[in-house]
Amino acid sequence: MHVEMRQPSRAGVDLVGKNVSVVFVENDDERATQFNNGMADGFAYTLEQEYGTGEGSIGVYSMRKENGVDHSSREMMLDLLVDTDSDIVFLLDEVQLGAMEAAPSSVVVPFTMKMYCFDGMDESEQVKSFSGSSTARTDGWDAGVLLADSFKSQWKTEAYSLAYFDNEKWYKALDKAEAYDWKGAIDQWFKLLDTNDLLRRSCAEYNIAVACYMSGDYELAEQWLDRSDADNKLPNMSDSLRKRIASRK
C-alpha cells in the first residue's frame, strides 16, 4: 500500500495529538501589544484549522514584559507550560515595529519578531527559538497566519506491506485496509487469530500492528509486532515496521 503519511513540520515541531498554547508578551507600546495579540490569534487559528482540533482549542494568553528576565530560558518556558496546562507552549516575545505612516489606530507596519517553543513531551527538553521579519506592510493577524505555515504538517508518500492468504476472510480484511478503515480491518484480523498455524497467526498479528501504527497507537503497534515475531517472524516486513515505530515514538 502507498499511504500519505503526516510528517513533522518544516520547523521540526510535531503538534499532532498535543495540547497547544500560545502566549504573547505585552509591553508599554500599545501598538506593539495589539500587533503581537493579533499575531498570536492568527497563529493559533491557522494551526487549529491545519490540525482539525476545532476553533478555540489552542489557548491564547498574554503576559507582561519582565525587565531583566530571559523569556527564552527553560525555566520561564517550563513555568508557562505548567501555567497553561499544555503539552507544548509557544511564546511570542516583544515585537519590534517599524515606522507607521498610517493613522495610529491602523496597526499595519513592517516588523521584527522572536518566538520560543517548549515541548514538554520532547525528551531533549530544549527551548527552540525562531525569528523573522518583514519589510512589507502587514497586520498582526496576517503575520501570525504566515508564521504558522512553518508549523504545518508535511506529507510524504510511504509504502507499507500487509500479509494475506488466498482466502475470502483475508481478502475482506484487506479490503477494509485499502479503504483506510483500520478499525474494521482489525476486527477482521482478530477473527483470524484463533488458529494453530503460527505463520497465519503471525501475519494477522503483524497486520494488526500496522493498523495500530496507522491509527497513531505506537505502543500497541509494538506490542502486536512482538507477538508476531514470537509466533513466526516476518523478517523484512517486521524489521521495517519496527524502525518506523521507533522513529514515531
Side-chain angles (χ1 to χ4, degrees):
M1 294 182 62
H2 289 85
V3 183
E4 287 286 318
M5 297 296 292
R6 189 190 295 268
Q7 307 293 323
S9 64
R10 287 188 289 116
V13 178
D14 186 4
L15 301 181
V16 177
K18 296 178 183 178
N19 183 18
V20 181
S21 291
V22 180
V23 182
F24 68 92
V25 175
E26 298 179 351
N27 55 41
D28 297 331
D29 184 343
E30 184 177 349
R31 292 189 306 120
T33 296
Q34 291 177 359
F35 189 94
N36 222 7
N37 189 353
M39 186 157 55
D41 288 340
F43 180 74
Y45 176 81
T46 305
L47 294 182
E48 289 169 350
Q49 299 301 304
E50 166 69 14
Y51 291 95
T53 55
E55 189 171 351
S57 60
I58 296 180
V60 177
Y61 306 87
S62 65
M63 62 172 281
R64 292 293 300 173
K65 180 180 69 173
E66 297 186 38
N67 294 322
V69 174
D70 181 6
H71 292 159
S72 67
S73 69
R74 181 183 177 278
E75 291 72 19
M76 168 67 76
M77 297 299 292
L78 183 57
D79 285 344
L80 290 176
L81 193 76
V82 173
D83 290 344
T84 58
D85 191 24
S86 306
D87 299 318
I88 183 169
V89 62
F90 292 93
L91 174 62
L92 292 168
D93 206 349
E94 184 179 8
V95 68
Q96 303 296 321
L97 301 183
M100 184 176 69
E101 300 172 2
S105 61
S106 177
V107 188
V108 183
V109 290
F111 69 95
T112 301
M113 55 77 63
K114 291 182 179 180
M115 183 174 73
Y116 314 115
C117 171
F118 186 75
D119 186 348
M121 301 176 70
D122 185 346
E123 294 181 355
S124 70
E125 296 187 345
Q126 293 183 339
V127 177
K128 295 183 178 180
S129 298
F130 306 91
S131 61
S133 62
S134 173
T135 57
R137 294 169 62 81
T138 186
D139 62 18
W141 176 275
D142 288 341
V145 171
L146 180 62
L147 177 62
D149 280 344
S150 296
F151 295 88
K152 292 180 178 179
S153 295
Q154 300 185 97
W155 296 87
K156 177 183 177 183
T157 301
E158 297 181 354
Y160 289 83
S161 298
L162 291 171
Y164 68 98
F165 293 84
D166 188 12
N167 177 285
E168 184 63 30
K169 292 181 179 180
W170 286 90
Y171 288 144
K172 188 173 183 178
L174 195 62
D175 287 342
K176 297 283 187 182
E178 288 181 333
Y180 305 112
D181 178 6
W182 296 110
K183 183 180 183 302
I186 288 175
D187 290 341
Q188 297 302 316
W189 286 318
F190 271 155
K191 298 175 183 178
L192 299 170
L193 294 174
D194 187 16
T195 176
N196 292 323
D197 186 324
L198 294 183
L199 176 59
R200 288 180 179 245
R201 191 166 70 197
S202 173
C203 287
E205 290 164 340
Y206 164 82
N207 289 347
I208 293 172
V210 173
C212 291
Y213 174 87
M214 292 295 180
S215 303
D217 194 335
Y218 307 124
E219 293 289 346
L220 193 57
E222 192 169 45
Q223 292 173 22
W224 277 104
L225 191 57
D226 288 342
R227 292 181 60 170
S228 173
D229 287 353
D231 279 340
N232 190 324
K233 183 174 181 179
L234 313 173
N236 294 335
M237 295 161 67
S238 175
D239 292 343
S240 176
L241 181 59
R242 195 171 293 279
K243 289 179 181 177
R244 283 171 161 163
I245 293 172
S247 69
R248 292 285 181 172
K249 292 174 64 180

